[in-house]
Amino acid sequence: MHPDDKPWWKRATGYQIYPRSFNDSNGDGIGDLPGIIEKLDHLQALGIGFVWLSPVYASPMADNGYDIADYDAIAPEFGTMDDMQRLVDEAKVRGIRIVMDLVVNHTSSEHAWFQAACASRDAHEHEYYYWRDAAPDGGPPSDRRAVFGGSAWHWVEAVGRYYFAYFSSGQPDLNWQNRQVRRNVFAMMNRWLDRGIGGFRMDVIDLIGKDLDNGVLEQGPDLHPYLQEMHREALAGRDILTVGESWSVTPDTALQYCGRERYELDMVFNFNHVVAGWDPEFGRFKPKPLDLPLFKRILGEWQTALAEDGWNSLFLSNHDLPRAVSRYGDPDRHRVASAKMLATVIHLMKGTPYIYQGEEIGMTNANFTRLEQFRDVETFGQLEDQRAAGVSEADFIAGANRTGRDNARTPMQWSDEPSAGFTRGTPWIDVNDNAVHLNVEADRADPDGVFGHYRRLIALRRQLPIITEGGYRSFDDANPCVFGYVRTLGDQRLVVVGNFTGERASIGVPAEGWGEGRCVIRNGPERTTIDSPLSLAPYESFAVLITGVDG
Ligand code: TEU
Ligand code: CA
């Protein structure tokens, strides 16, 4: 919730940095905070308004920082608290806010709280986590599986009990029903906000209200009371952005998180459009081909649900998802055109767009061929589970190559220098082979580069109120190849179209979108007339602003 109705984050574009893979300043092969500071001019040139910084807190890195051992310390491999403060200050000078990642559904098993909890049932920290006695046969209390494979229950001999960890065994879930847990979290949030950060992205926030004994993990009964308490104790009255990651939120429950009268969050990250392309049993590791009508319908439902209240987040990729151009476009024959098309159709919707590092130059999936190239704890955990379910290693690797999380975590490709200019050392994960020609230096030098397209979209968002305030209406929804929608504000229409295929395709445009206008962005020839049907070249996209439309 925000005091005024036109907060800065409604006109701003976000940029997600996965620090481990962004830029290494000291040659240890791991990205770091000084490395980010070195690249702030790149972000300023792009025109983004804030960074979502994935975790940089002290962590044993079981899940690359999504397992926090000390919320008030910076992981040494990323730098120091002084580096963090310098990043906040240097970014601010460039008009960029730093939004931090809040991971409070769980801590690391190396957090002092958990260490104390494991030492004795009598420690007050013991109740900060979920402990249950063994089942009668001595095994885990339930058959609940962990997201990263295996049982979600883990035995600790010293206290003779199992603890619950929904992700990896190194990520024990915090018991939010414990008032001291909530007090500790809110105090920590205030300490970070008082350092001048721009807000929080909240990791799997839909899980903090879980009712474990009744098997309710997502959007549990206590979720919204806790978020309202968090708002009262840490967020109210601050000029910040809060966005909650929720893999369970739907258009029907979205306003419970971000409606203006809820006093909880400003927006949510939902994954309905992502999960629609996954296998019900094998998830991301058995992806389906893109079903464009379904994809358009889902995005449209979110535009409708949050048209008058709440606020959308708009994204196709992040550190958990494959590269957008590989998942939804054509990384080979039409990489630049499809990268621009995807950017156009996403950025001209209503909501705040989020660019994932490397998306601004159309970086692609890594296509690892050997198991030892992978790094992701989820991939190795699921490999065990899926082997047991009869999936061959070759099939699993093929799936991991298409939609595994490591695709987004290969080093940012800055130049054609060794290791793509990411490090002068040995990178913690292999650099994509295509970095020699696909990199920031080459793309920004190219007048038709992807970077320039994103920069224009970001500038358009600041210039044209129809983008931030206009209505949204899609058309020809059943069209299997082309995405088309009209933004409306007063007598203005912004007609946006994108061909999601490598073949020429047409789309029928409603009469309200017809006429002569001004082409505000394109990835092909100048188009100023909208007539129906509209014929588009492979992966062609453009937007035409028509004024003086009545009715
Ligand atoms: O992700 C939530 C999460 O579970 C996703 O990783 C996704 O559901 C899973 O990959 C399904 O295949 C958040 C963070 O974004 C992720 O990086 C962390 O690993 C996870 O939570 C635990 O903190
Ligand atoms: Ca480093």
Side-chain angles (χ1 to χ4, degrees):
M1 181 54 207
H2 194 275
D4 76 64
D5 204 28
K6 287 204 171 79
W8 55 270
W9 39 263
K10 287 194 173 181
R11 291 178 307 283
T13 298
Y15 185 96
Q16 184 194 356
I17 290 178
Y18 193 69
R20 196 174 192 83
S21 307
F22 191 66
N23 185 40
D24 169 27
S25 69
N26 63 352
D28 65 357
I30 298 171
D32 47 53
L33 292 169
I36 297 173
I37 293 169
E38 285 174 9
K39 298 297 183 181
L40 283 174
D41 290 344
H42 170 73
L43 301 180
Q44 186 177 18
L46 184 57
I48 55 114
F50 65 97
V51 163
W52 155 24
L53 179 62
S54 279
V56 291
Y57 316 92
S59 163
M61 301 296 168
D63 186 13
N64 288 347
Y66 282 91
D67 51 317
I68 296 171
D70 183 347
Y71 292 96
D72 291 288
I74 299 297
E77 58 261 62
F78 290 144
T80 65
M81 192 60 94
D82 286 348
D83 292 328
M84 186 64 224
Q85 192 61 58
R86 194 158 58 88
L87 172 60
V88 170
D89 299 341
E90 290 281 342
K92 190 173 184 179
V93 164
R94 293 168 174 81
I96 297 171
R97 291 172 168 88
I98 302 293
V99 171
M100 301 256 313
D101 211 317
L102 183 73
V103 186
V104 289
N105 171 67
H106 48 272
T107 67
S108 162
S109 50
E110 293 186 17
H111 195 290
W113 298 343
F114 189 70
Q115 295 296 306
C118 288
S120 164
R121 291 190 184 198
D122 301 329
H124 70 271
E125 295 91 343
H126 191 73
E127 298 311 317
Y128 286 12
Y129 298 89
Y130 292 100
W131 297 90
R132 295 294 182 275
D133 294 337
D137 66 0
S142 77
D143 57 4
R144 171 69 68 176
R145 307 297 289 173
V147 174
F148 296 162
S151 169
W153 293 100
H154 307 278
W155 178 256
V156 174
E157 189 60 35
V159 292
R161 275 176 166 173
Y162 282 86
Y163 70 85
F164 182 75
Y166 193 40
F167 291 96
S168 72
S169 60
Q171 294 167 287
D173 282 52
L174 276 170
N175 170 15
W176 270 71
Q177 293 168 339
N178 182 293
R179 182 190 300 274
Q180 194 56 48
V181 165
R182 302 201 300 275
R183 282 200 188 114
N184 292 348
V185 168
F186 302 151
M188 173 269 291
M189 291 175 69
N190 277 304
R191 287 194 293 276
W192 275 106
L193 289 166
D194 292 346
R195 290 189 182 104
I197 65 170
F200 289 107
R201 175 268 186 182
M202 301 185 186
D203 192 61
V204 287
I205 205 65
D206 57 327
L207 301 180
I208 65 170
K210 60 179 73 79
D211 176 2
L212 205 53
D213 294 327
N214 289 306
V216 178
L217 296 185
E218 298 170 336
Q219 300 190 133
D222 295 328
L223 170 61
H224 294 293
Y226 292 158
L227 285 179
Q228 287 164 12
E229 183 183 358
M230 177 190 284
H231 188 274
R232 289 193 303 274
E233 299 299 325
L235 306 175
R238 291 183 184 267
D239 183 21
I240 58 171
L241 158 65
T242 53
V243 50
E245 177 199 36
S246 172
W247 284 77
S248 56
V249 67
T250 64
D252 298 336
T253 61
L255 286 176
Q256 293 172 26
Y257 295 75
C258 62
R260 64 173 68 87
E261 301 304 327
R262 296 289 295 178
Y263 297 94
E264 295 187 19
L265 305 179
D266 297 315
M267 61 183 101
V268 290
F269 282 140
N270 88 81
F271 298 83
N272 300 180
H273 58 304
V274 170
V275 176
W278 288 0
D279 181 89
E281 183 185 357
F282 297 106
R284 66 164 74 239
F285 295 99
K286 198 172 179 186
K288 303 174 194 168
L290 178 64
D291 173 343
L292 187 63
L294 175 59
F295 179 78
K296 296 189 288 187
R297 178 160 61 75
I298 292 170
L299 293 181
E301 285 168 355
W302 276 88
Q303 289 289 302
T304 303
L306 302 186
E308 305 303 330
D309 190 7
W311 191 252
N312 262 304
S313 61
L314 309 169
F315 69 96
L316 291 179
S317 61
N318 68 17
H319 65 295
D320 292 332
L321 300 176
R323 290 284 176 181
V325 74
S326 293
R327 180 63 176 134
Y328 301 102
D330 177 340
D332 304 313
R333 287 191 310 149
H334 301 281
R335 183 182 66 80
V336 172
S338 63
K340 291 179 178 179
M341 180 279 292
L342 293 168
T344 298
V345 298
I346 290 297
H347 279 242
L348 295 183
M349 286 187 173
K350 188 170 186 179
T352 295
Y354 289 76
I355 299 167
Y356 179 65
Q357 67 182 45
E359 182 184 332
E360 77 273 27
I361 60 168
M363 276 177 63
T364 68
N365 278 359
N367 292 327
F368 289 163
T369 51
R370 292 172 287 109
L371 205 51
E372 54 272 19
Q373 289 179 284
F374 291 93
R375 292 289 179 274
D376 182 14
V377 59
E378 175 180 34
T379 299
F380 288 106
Q382 282 295 339
L383 170 60
E384 290 314 311
D385 271 14
Q386 298 196 19
R387 262 190 188 134
V391 177
S392 73
E393 183 170 298
D395 286 350
F396 182 83
I397 287 180
N401 263 333
R402 291 184 53 200
T403 53
R405 304 195 304 176
D406 282 321
N407 282 304
R409 302 173 181 189
T410 59
M412 182 71 181
Q413 295 165 197
W414 294 107
S415 70
D416 61 3
E417 294 167 306
S419 296
F422 161 74
T423 179
R424 60 179 184 276
T426 304
W428 70 279
I429 186 173
D430 285 354
V431 173
N432 195 316
D433 296 337
N434 63 18
V436 69
H437 67 266
L438 202 178
N439 57 68
V440 168
E441 212 165 83
D443 185 270
R444 287 187 60 177
D446 178 351
D448 290 330
V450 180
F451 180 89
H453 194 85
Y454 271 93
R455 181 164 50 186
R456 177 150 183 72
L457 284 166
I458 293 168
L460 282 174
R461 172 166 292 275
R462 292 189 191 283
Q463 291 158 11
L464 300 178
I466 192 170
I467 296 173
T468 47
E469 298 165 30
Y472 169 95
R473 222 187 338 272
S474 59
F475 53 83
D476 199 353
D477 292 343
N479 192 306
C481 303
V482 181
F483 192 174
Y485 60 84
V486 182
R487 302 294 311 275
T488 57
L489 186 67
D491 70 349
Q492 290 191 339
R493 299 289 181 271
L494 182 66
V495 181
V496 182
V497 289
N499 181 356
F500 271 70
T501 73
E503 312 301 326
R504 177 162 286 279
S506 297
I507 184 167
V509 178
E512 69 168 315
W514 285 11
E516 190 71 23
R518 174 168 67 91
C519 185
V520 295
I521 194 155
R522 55 191 167 89
N523 66 355
E526 178 84 9
R527 309 278 302 248
T528 56
T529 306
I530 298 284
D531 47 24
S532 193
L534 210 53
S535 173
L536 301 171
Y539 291 106
E540 184 179 6
S541 70
F542 58 88
V544 172
L545 183 62
I546 299 170
T547 52
V549 178
D550 52 14

